[in-house]
Amino acid sequence: MVGPLPGVVRLMRAIGVHRFGGPEELRLLDLPEPQAGPGEVRIRVHAAAVNPTDVLLRTGGHAVRMLNASPPHVPGMDAAGVVDQVGPGVHRLAVGQPVVALVLFTTPQGGAYADHVVVPEASVVPAPEGVDLMAASTLLMNAMTARMALDELALPRGATVAVTGAAGAVGGYAVELAHADGLQVIADAAEQDAALVRSFGADHVVQRGKDVANHIRALHPQGVPGLIDASAQTAELLPALADNGTLIELRGWSAPAERGIKVHPVMVPNRMTDTKTLTALSQAASEGHLTLRVAKVLPAEQAAEAHRLLEAGALRGRLVLDFT
């Protein structure tokens, strides 16, 4: 694709913050349209999923990771759209191809809340077949988080894993992937979500809440060897684990634990360019093995409202910003 004429700067729509704070700090921006460089792909974004990490950016929680980026800061790690430019050395993807991508918003280029994003080719894979791009945008970050959690546990087939927050985006994917891995899954859910979580492949469903560790122990008296904390309950979950078990944390908590229990945080940026796994996750969604759930689609200009809804909680599925 031919780029802009020399000296001509084309602008694009983006959503971002000039200063950290509440949802009201999210503003509609006109930013220079990025150009794909060597080994990079530019995507015309159709949809950007709204994730908790976007809220952390908006409030300043990622400031320590953004020392080389100047305001405005553009959130968003999940994009779905169509390739509209490829840089030199890109051969796997083509202009016009529907794709999904992980976007690292801590770079100077910013995140996925924009009409166009430029990302390394390795972070972009074909979109799931038979799925609209709004739903496709909800896949990669949350499914990769779940995949990383299970890979870190490395439990053998037939072993038992517990998943909290199982009705949520990451938790739901974790149950489905664990079931596909041949694990026995104990998952938590509110009464109204129990059938949904069972449909993901959970073998046992226990009541969510502060007593969830006791409920897990009642089913598995010796404690489970691995637990994925998608409910951010951290230390409350330690009693559910067997001696020398492993607790996977998704938001950076890594406090020491007793009884030889290991606590491992997982961070998606560590595998942003794991093309093989990203492709496998997209294929799993194409085949119906991963359930894509959209809570609500909002126009991009309503990003502030999307953040308010996310912070209010009780969502089932991801909010999506429409950039078409």
Side-chain angles (χ1 to χ4, degrees):
M1 181 175 179
V2 178
L5 295 173
V8 175
V9 177
R10 296 179 61 176
L11 299 179
M12 68 170 182
R13 173 184 50 162
I15 308 293
V17 298
H18 282 279
R19 62 181 184 182
F20 300 126
E24 69 280 357
E25 296 297 336
L26 288 165
R27 297 279 197 274
L28 182 63
L29 308 169
D30 288 321
L31 297 180
E33 189 177 275
Q35 305 299 314
E40 293 180 330
V41 172
R42 189 176 75 179
I43 300 167
R44 172 60 176 94
V45 177
H46 287 215
V50 179
N51 290 295
T53 194
D54 304 350
V55 173
L56 276 178
L57 181 147
R58 192 201 76 222
T59 58
H62 287 298
V64 69
R65 302 180 181 90
M66 302 171 62
L67 301 179
N68 295 322
S70 301
H73 301 300
V74 176
M77 290 188 72
D78 260 325
V82 176
V83 174
D84 76 345
Q85 190 182 77
V86 297
V90 172
H91 305 293
R92 186 173 52 84
L93 300 167
V95 170
Q97 187 172 7
V99 293
V100 286
L102 285 177
V103 185
L104 190 60
F105 60 53
T106 55
T107 67
Q109 289 183 329
Y113 290 14
D115 283 335
H116 291 88
V117 293
V118 169
V119 291
E121 180 190 20
S123 298
V124 185
V125 297
E129 296 179 6
V131 175
D132 68 72
L133 290 175
M134 298 297 148
S137 74
T138 67
L139 173 65
L140 287 187
M141 182 180 171
N142 295 290
M144 178 58 98
T145 302
R147 183 69 267 164
M148 291 176 67
L150 289 163
D151 290 349
E152 185 69 39
L153 290 174
L155 297 173
R157 291 184 68 86
T160 298
V161 63
V163 179
T164 63
V170 176
Y173 287 141
V175 173
E176 290 183 312
L177 289 169
H179 176 73
D181 287 351
L183 301 176
Q184 293 290 306
V185 183
I186 300 174
D188 73 345
E191 183 176 353
Q192 64 269 26
D193 293 321
L196 173 68
V197 172
R198 286 193 184 93
S199 75
F200 294 154
D203 298 283
H204 303 281
V205 178
V206 299
Q207 178 65 41
R208 68 187 293 267
K210 289 187 175 297
D211 292 329
V212 67
N214 292 331
H215 298 319
I216 294 170
R217 275 276 183 173
L219 285 172
H220 212 273
Q222 69 271 41
V224 293
L227 192 153
I228 299 172
D229 179 17
S231 58
Q233 289 181 256
T234 61
E236 292 179 1
L237 301 178
L238 294 174
L241 284 152
D243 293 353
N244 304 307
T246 302
L247 175 65
I248 300 295
E249 284 297 326
L250 310 183
R251 300 188 184 180
W253 186 77
S254 58
E258 57 189 17
R259 298 187 289 113
I261 293 171
K262 299 171 286 294
V263 180
H264 284 293
V266 297
M267 301 291 178
V268 166
N270 293 336
R271 286 174 67 178
M272 295 283 286
T273 57
D274 182 351
T275 310
K276 181 178 179 180
T277 299
L278 296 176
T279 301
L281 293 171
S282 183
Q283 184 63 32
S286 297
E287 296 170 356
H289 301 314
L290 290 176
T291 305
L292 307 182
R293 293 179 291 154
V294 175
K296 187 175 184 180
V297 177
L298 296 92
E301 292 80 3
Q302 294 182 23
E305 176 62 15
H307 276 228
R308 292 186 187 99
L309 290 171
L310 180 61
E311 290 183 294
L315 295 172
R316 293 297 174 260
R318 280 286 177 242
L319 296 161
V320 176
L321 299 179
D322 184 347
F323 279 88
T324 56

